Amino acid sequence: MEQRRGTDTAERSRSWGDERLSLLSAVGAALTDREVMRHALDQAVSELGGIAGLVHWSCGPAGSRQLRLVLASGLPLPVLRAWEEIRQDVAPLAPARAVRDGRFVWIPAAATEALAGPREDGRPSSGILPAATTVASVPLIGPDGPVGALSVLTGPWEPTGEQIAFLQAVGHWAERRLARSATGPGEGDEPPWWQQRPGGPVLRQSLEAAKAGSWEWGVRTGEMRWDRAGLTLLGIPDSYERRIESWIDLIHPEDVPRVMAATEKSLRERSDYEAEYRVRRPDGTTGWVQSRAHLELDEHGEPVRMVGKVWDTTESRRARESVGQALRYMSDAFFAVNREWRITFLNVEAERLVGPAGEVLGRPLWEGPAGDVPELEERCRRAAAGGRPAGFDIRWPTDGRWYHIRLVSVPDGLTAYLTDVTDRRTRAARRAEAERAGAEQAARISELSNALADAVTTRDVVDVVAAHILPPFGASGLLMLSLEGGRLNVVGSVGYPLPFLRRIDGVPAFEGYRLLNEVLGARRPYFIPSAEEYERLFPDLAGNPAIAHKNAWAVLPLTASGNAIGTCSISFDEPRRFSADERTLLTALSGMVAQALARARLYDTEHARAQALQRGLLPRALPTPAAVTSTVRYLPASSGTDIGGDWYDVIPLSAERVALVIGDVMGHGLAEAATMGRLRTAVHTLANLELPPDEVLAHLNEVVSDLGDDSYATCLYALYDPVSGVCSLARAGHPPPLVVRPDGGVECPDSVPDPPLGATEPPFTTVDLRLPDGSLLVLYTDGLVESATRDIDTGIAECAQVLTSERGRLLTSPPPRPHPDRPEQGGPEQDGPDRADHERLDRLCDLLVGAMLPAQQLTADDTALLIARLHGLAPGNIAGWPLPEGPVAAGLARAHVREQLTAWGLQELVATTELLAGELVANVVRHARGPTRLRLIRSRSLLCEVSDASPTTPRIRRAAETDEGGRGLQLVSALSQRWGTRYTAEGKCIWTEQPIPRTGTPS
């Protein structure tokens, strides 16, 4: 299929080529040879998809091996210079090779760049072809061999066989067509074009039409030969004497020195020759011609021949002279310089800038005022070297006006056009200044609007106004007064002394202070330009300017939703006249400030209420049980307007056990704060029931679920037993705690949390951790470790790094504790190790908060942090005994109590404790079942516990006067500080707690 597709493509290409050849066959016979070649060239370029086409002919004098470009299509003049003349035996170019070898040639065109070489002024040759350009050439054949070449410049792809055949067919068609035109009517006396030597009628028709000819001068012999076109151009008869003197005689006498100087320079420097001069023809006419030639050297480098061309420039010269007259008197300045930067022309307007023509023509441009224009010389040289026009504005030193100068590179130098743009620049500057002022004003309003939109509190609004309004106006003072209860109260100020603020704070809004009264009553601003004007308008307030140290004021009413809410005064140290634009702008800005202030006042009121509610719902002070030393930090969110639902608690329980709780109600606002209060109350109730952590969370889950489907909370409940050293914890969707061991090691219990409360069903998982005495338990909410730029795992790792840092290790290390058999006495106000440890934990909280929540970083969530030092009870402070069943157990219990309290030095508590123990044991014997066990715990208080296997909870009853029993628990309640019952795995435990007198501490 691919072969067939290729065959079809080739057939379509041949068919299309045949169509093009048939189109050429329709060309009329009346066309000139040049028009015939133009048609052939156009078809060849189109068929090969080329960018340009060329036709070269052997057109030099007899014996010359030189190809001359006679026809071109698609190339600019700078590029054609490299193709104008080609030596068949030297140039490595496709046309020369096609003529030399008599066959089709396809080679890159890059060789033309080397052929073109640098220009005479040292600059690189312009008009470089694209690097990938290639040339396809076919020879134009006569009876005696090739006499020319037809070439197509195309891309890097090699022509196909069909394209090569078409190009050759076009060449053959051109040969046949030119042969027929050579034998047409009126030209029977001329031989066919292929029988003529190079330079015959075929070329002559083209060259004569272009008024161009060729010549050759033998430098050593002095022989000068011209072709037919050259003879016709110069009006020389065929019988002219072939000597260099014949040519010199034709040159206008005034131009002979210049032409001969150019000739001598070419011979001396072995360079190309070029000159434009006037010729006086034998028929008496005069015209301008231009010659260009190159030297041929012998093996010793000496000139042998000069071969060149000549063409008529009379018409272009006249055109240039006409253009010169137009340039001479045009309104814009114009001057021209040659390659040596000498001034060759300047018009009348340019003489005013550069100097009189008689003084500056022929002198270097840079010797005049142009040399004083910054960077002008550099830019001119750059424009001349680049060959591209350039334009820019300059300030001319002689008249101080601005001109737009346009530089145009020409073959023999550079031209400059100067247009006066001073008025235009002035208008543009004024327009730009107005636009800049408008843009600044719009930007100022936009910045203020954005800043006020972000302002939350009244203090924020004052700060925004001070930062965005005072500096642009150069003001030094700001005073914002809020209308509350018929009086104006200061809500913020900048640049005012305290005595003035005290004088103004609380003034009546509508009487007693006429300036503010009128601003509020009429709701229109006052603009006071000076202290004198102030005292003239308000003589009763004459002392205020001196007290305030101000000399100009803009007093603006603040009106929001149609209600006056206060005033805003902007003041200045110096007298100031306010323009109409400034008055309009300040009045507009005051409306924006009023709206922001109204929002801020609502927020301040709402936030104050919410904070008061939150303060009432959180613990005012943490209890100080013997088993833990704790400290806490609560930080509300620094961004946003609502309060959060984070909470914490330390709950003392029986047997010196402590419950540590931390939680977070998802969301922000009053509803969430209220939910937090309900959960905290529920936790206290459930904790006092002595329930294990998993059951506490199960009951909390019911509470949250009853609040609605969109209510969720996280919670961590830890229960620490100082007797066993075990900390049991359960967490519902809450971040795990960090445990700091006494040796400084930090651990994060690797347990999978249960879902948040309200999103799951019981049971909850409980994890038991055995923690040594002096360990730290760090509990926190997600606000400490999680943010928009930090995930929770990264935050926990960073928190652990802070705890293990040098500063962290110093603060986490446990303080020295008293002898394990001598517990501390007293309450929370005691001095000693507990107070020192509490201070260290306070500093540790500050370290964690400062590291995890920098002061300059805004937080979107509130944060709770609870750090607790765990204190285990030494075995010497615990005593326990099993008791037999029956009434004998009560007497044995009293004996154990008496013996142990005597050993502990607590003789003053013996009688009371014996009575309590006897009543508790008797209650077990009467109402419960064994086994029974007695335990005494000495801590900050004395605890007496009696446990049994019955789950029945004892209750206090009101006994009648005639009842013999029912008074035991009443006696227990009266003799103990606290008492209660808790459930155990085997049954229940009834406990009592008595304070230990400080005097009872053993020495």
Side-chain angles (χ1 to χ4, degrees):
M1 183 178 294
E2 293 296 330
Q3 182 176 3
R4 181 176 180 180
R5 184 181 296 113
T7 303
D8 293 343
T9 303
E11 290 177 355
R12 286 196 300 269
S13 177
R14 285 195 297 271
S15 176
W16 180 242
D18 294 341
E19 292 292 335
R20 290 185 180 277
L21 290 175
S22 65
L23 182 63
L24 285 174
S25 64
V27 174
L31 296 181
T32 64
D33 292 346
R34 186 177 185 85
E35 292 170 336
V36 169
M37 294 304 298
R38 171 69 69 181
H39 279 288
L41 189 61
D42 290 343
Q43 294 301 321
V45 172
S46 177
E47 175 65 21
L48 268 68
I51 62 174
L54 307 170
V55 175
H56 288 82
W57 218 270
S58 297
C59 54
S64 172
R65 299 184 59 82
Q66 184 172 338
L67 289 176
R68 181 71 55 80
L69 179 66
V70 297
L71 192 62
S73 172
L75 287 180
L77 289 177
V79 179
L80 290 177
R81 293 189 59 183
W83 298 87
E84 287 180 344
E85 295 180 359
I86 301 175
R87 292 283 296 175
Q88 298 180 30
D89 52 352
V90 176
L93 300 180
R97 292 189 182 183
V99 173
R100 183 184 62 195
D101 301 340
R103 62 179 179 83
F104 169 80
V105 175
W106 178 74
I107 60 174
T112 60
E113 299 177 16
L115 181 65
R119 291 169 46 164
E120 294 181 5
D121 58 359
R123 294 180 290 166
S125 178
S126 60
I128 302 302
L129 291 170
T133 305
T134 59
V135 184
S137 298
V138 294
L140 299 176
I141 308 296
D144 298 329
V147 295
L150 187 149
S151 307
V152 176
L153 279 71
T154 183
W157 52 87
E158 184 176 1
T160 65
E162 290 76 14
Q163 290 175 327
I164 295 174
F166 179 84
L167 189 61
Q168 292 172 336
V170 169
H172 295 329
W173 176 87
E175 295 167 0
R176 294 192 302 271
R177 183 65 177 79
L178 291 175
R180 289 199 304 270
S181 68
T183 59
E187 297 181 2
D189 55 341
E190 294 284 354
W193 66 275
W194 60 81
Q195 294 179 358
Q196 301 177 28
R197 64 178 178 83
V202 175
L203 178 64
R204 185 170 67 244
Q205 186 177 5
S206 298
L207 294 182
E208 289 178 353
K211 297 184 178 180
S214 300
W215 54 271
E216 182 179 307
W217 171 40
V219 177
R220 296 176 180 174
T221 63
E223 183 181 11
M224 188 80 170
R225 289 181 174 271
W226 298 86
D227 63 358
R228 178 61 59 86
L231 295 175
T232 302
L233 174 63
L234 298 177
I236 303 175
D238 294 339
S239 59
Y240 77 100
E241 185 179 0
R242 293 176 174 82
R243 301 293 300 172
I244 186 67
E245 290 79 5
S246 300
W247 169 63
I248 297 175
D249 291 341
L250 294 174
I251 302 173
H252 194 284
E254 294 180 359
D255 297 338
V256 169
R258 178 166 51 83
V259 174
M260 298 311 298
T263 306
E264 293 173 0
K265 177 182 178 183
S266 176
L267 294 173
R268 182 176 63 255
E269 298 179 359
R270 308 299 192 261
S271 60
D272 290 344
Y273 166 79
E274 184 173 0
E276 184 179 15
Y277 51 90
R278 289 169 290 179
V279 293
R280 297 185 301 175
R281 299 183 180 90
D283 60 1
T285 61
T286 302
W288 283 88
V289 297
Q290 183 162 348
S291 292
R292 183 181 299 164
H294 65 271
L295 281 174
E296 294 184 358
L297 309 177
D298 61 12
E299 63 273 11
H300 302 296
E302 295 298 325
V304 176
R305 272 191 313 275
M306 181 178 287
V307 179
K309 57 182 179 293
V310 62
W311 62 92
D312 192 315
T313 61
T314 303
E315 293 182 2
S316 63
R317 187 77 181 192
R318 289 173 181 171
R320 289 200 302 270
E321 290 176 354
S322 299
V323 170
Q325 288 296 319
L327 292 174
R328 176 72 179 164
Y329 296 103
M330 72 178 183
S331 59
D332 291 341
F334 173 83
F335 63 83
V337 295
N338 60 17
R339 294 174 181 175
E340 288 76 28
W341 301 101
R342 296 184 179 276
I343 300 174
T344 59
F345 177 85
L346 72 167
N347 66 1
V348 175
E349 182 63 20
E351 290 186 31
R352 186 180 63 82
L353 301 177
V354 180
E359 298 178 4
V360 301
L361 282 176
R363 294 176 57 186
L365 175 65
W366 317 121
E367 291 183 0
D372 298 330
V373 179
E375 300 182 0
L376 178 60
E377 182 175 358
E378 178 185 351
R379 291 186 175 188
C380 288
R381 293 184 182 276
R382 193 184 308 136
R388 294 182 178 181
F392 48 90
D393 287 358
I394 59 173
R395 190 170 187 176
W396 200 256
T398 58
D399 58 3
R401 297 183 66 82
W402 285 92
Y403 295 86
H404 179 77
I405 183 170
R406 180 169 176 81
L407 304 173
V408 179
S409 178
V410 294
D412 56 350
L414 187 75
T415 61
Y417 302 80
L418 288 86
T419 304
D420 193 328
V421 294
T422 305
D423 295 340
R424 187 183 69 188
R425 286 177 63 95
T426 301
R427 290 191 299 271
R430 292 174 181 171
R431 184 168 57 252
E433 178 62 23
E435 293 174 353
R436 184 191 62 78
E440 287 182 356
Q441 180 171 322
R444 190 179 304 158
I445 294 176
S446 177
E447 290 177 3
L448 178 62
S449 177
N450 294 334
L452 288 175
D454 294 335
V456 176
T457 66
T458 302
R459 182 70 252 177
D460 294 341
V461 174
V462 174
D463 293 341
V464 167
V465 174
H468 291 81
I469 294 183
L470 299 190
F473 287 95
S476 60
L478 170 68
L479 177 62
M480 293 188 66
L481 303 176
S482 175
L483 177 59
E484 298 175 1
R487 292 186 174 273
L488 291 172
N489 299 319
V490 176
V491 296
S493 66
V494 174
Y496 278 94
L498 187 58
F500 179 79
L501 296 178
R502 290 174 179 171
R503 183 173 185 176
I504 204 75
D505 191 21
V507 299
F510 300 103
E511 61 179 0
Y513 202 100
R514 198 155 59 88
L515 171 58
L516 300 178
N517 301 154
E518 292 185 7
V519 169
L520 273 181
R523 298 184 186 179
R524 64 181 181 87
Y526 261 95
F527 297 96
I528 306 173
S530 65
E532 292 76 11
E533 183 69 11
Y534 186 101
E535 294 177 354
R536 187 187 67 80
L537 292 173
F538 308 102
D540 52 326
L541 305 175
N544 283 353
I547 300 176
H549 307 300
K550 303 299 177 186
N551 284 285
W553 296 262
V555 185
L556 311 169
L558 298 180
T559 305
S561 301
N563 298 317
I565 63 171
T567 64
C568 174
S569 299
I570 298 173
S571 54
F572 303 82
D573 290 337
E574 302 296 332
R576 177 192 181 94
R577 290 286 178 182
F578 296 91
S579 66
D581 290 341
E582 290 176 333
R583 293 171 183 243
T584 302
L585 180 58
L586 285 171
T587 303
L589 295 180
S590 68
M592 299 169 58
V593 173
Q595 297 295 330
L597 182 61
R599 293 194 305 268
R601 289 172 59 184
L602 290 176
Y603 169 82
D604 289 342
T605 302
E606 185 72 15
H607 194 61
R609 293 173 180 171
Q611 286 186 327
L613 173 63
Q614 191 171 44
R615 284 194 300 269
L617 294 175
L618 289 175
R620 295 188 178 183
L622 292 179
T624 57
V628 298
T629 301
S630 60
T631 188
V632 70
R633 289 291 184 276
Y634 176 80
L635 288 83
S638 56
S639 63
T641 61
D642 294 326
I643 60 175
D646 290 13
W647 91 92
Y648 53 87
D649 254 316
V650 176
I651 307 173
L653 302 175
S654 63
E656 295 295 346
R657 297 180 308 152
V658 179
L660 302 171
V661 191
I662 193 165
D664 182 6
V665 177
M666 296 184 183
H668 294 81
L670 290 175
E672 284 72 16
T675 300
M676 176 265 288
R678 298 176 66 177
L679 293 181
R680 182 167 174 259
T681 302
V683 168
H684 270 270
T685 303
L686 296 170
N688 288 325
L689 292 176
E690 305 280 358
L691 298 178
D694 57 329
E695 293 188 27
V696 172
L697 292 187
H699 288 293
L700 283 179
N701 185 67
E702 295 178 2
V703 174
V704 175
S705 298
D706 291 342
L707 296 176
D709 295 337
D710 57 347
S711 295
Y712 303 98
T714 66
C715 182
L716 187 152
Y717 185 94
L719 180 62
Y720 175 63
D721 185 355
V723 176
S724 63
V726 173
C727 181
S728 301
L729 59 90
R731 57 193 181 103
H734 202 82
L738 290 175
V739 178
V740 184
R741 300 278 181 174
D743 60 359
V746 178
E747 301 174 5
C748 182
D750 187 13
S751 62
V752 179
D754 292 302
L757 302 175
T760 186
E761 293 293 335
F764 290 89
T765 304
T766 300
V767 177
D768 293 331
L769 303 175
R770 187 169 297 278
L771 303 177
D773 181 35
S775 297
L776 279 182
L777 198 61
V778 181
L779 310 180
Y780 50 87
T781 57
D782 57 355
L784 181 71
V785 295
E786 187 177 25
S787 68
T789 59
R790 178 175 59 196
D791 61 70
I792 192 168
D793 293 331
T794 303
I796 293 174
E798 292 179 2
C799 195
Q801 290 177 359
V802 175
L803 293 172
T804 55
S805 65
E806 182 179 356
R807 175 71 173 164
R809 285 181 175 273
L810 180 65
L811 297 177
T812 58
S813 60
R817 300 289 295 172
H819 191 274
D821 292 332
R822 296 182 179 180
E824 297 179 33
Q825 306 295 318
E829 73 283 353
Q830 67 186 2
D831 295 328
D834 270 1
R835 171 164 298 214
D837 193 24
H838 188 275
E839 292 176 354
R840 296 171 70 174
L841 295 183
D842 268 339
R843 294 197 297 271
L844 180 60
C845 277
D846 294 337
L847 176 65
L848 275 174
V849 170
M852 303 300 294
L853 303 174
Q856 67 275 14
Q857 175 181 318
L858 296 178
T859 56
D861 197 7
D862 46 349
T863 299
L865 172 64
L866 174 62
I867 300 179
R869 174 89 65 192
L870 307 181
H871 306 304
L873 282 176
N877 292 319
I878 307 167
W881 306 269
L883 298 176
E885 297 184 5
V888 68
L892 185 59
R894 286 191 291 270
H896 287 319
V897 168
R898 185 169 49 254
E899 179 183 351
Q900 186 61 50
L901 293 185
T902 302
W904 281 345
L906 300 176
Q907 291 86 348
E908 63 269 33
L909 296 179
V910 170
T912 306
T913 309
E914 283 183 350
L915 183 58
L916 291 172
E919 287 295 331
L920 295 179
V921 172
N923 189 70
V924 171
V925 171
R926 180 176 300 178
H927 301 289
R929 61 178 183 272
T932 306
R933 185 174 180 82
L934 171 67
R935 185 172 70 164
L936 295 177
I937 299 175
R938 180 181 66 161
S939 181
R940 290 183 182 173
S941 57
L942 178 65
L943 288 91
C944 177
E945 299 179 346
V946 176
S947 57
D948 57 60
S950 173
T952 304
T953 302
R955 293 177 296 172
I956 297 179
R957 296 185 302 165
R958 180 178 296 277
E961 294 181 359
T962 58
D963 290 342
E964 295 183 358
R967 296 178 176 84
L969 291 181
Q970 293 182 9
L971 182 62
V972 168
S973 177
L975 294 177
S976 61
Q977 186 178 31
R978 290 194 309 154
W979 76 280
T981 305
R982 70 173 181 272
Y983 291 100
T984 64
E986 297 81 13
K988 69 175 181 297
C989 173
I990 305 175
W991 55 272
T992 66
E993 181 179 327
Q994 304 173 76
I996 297 178
R998 297 179 66 90
T999 57
T1001 303
S1003 59

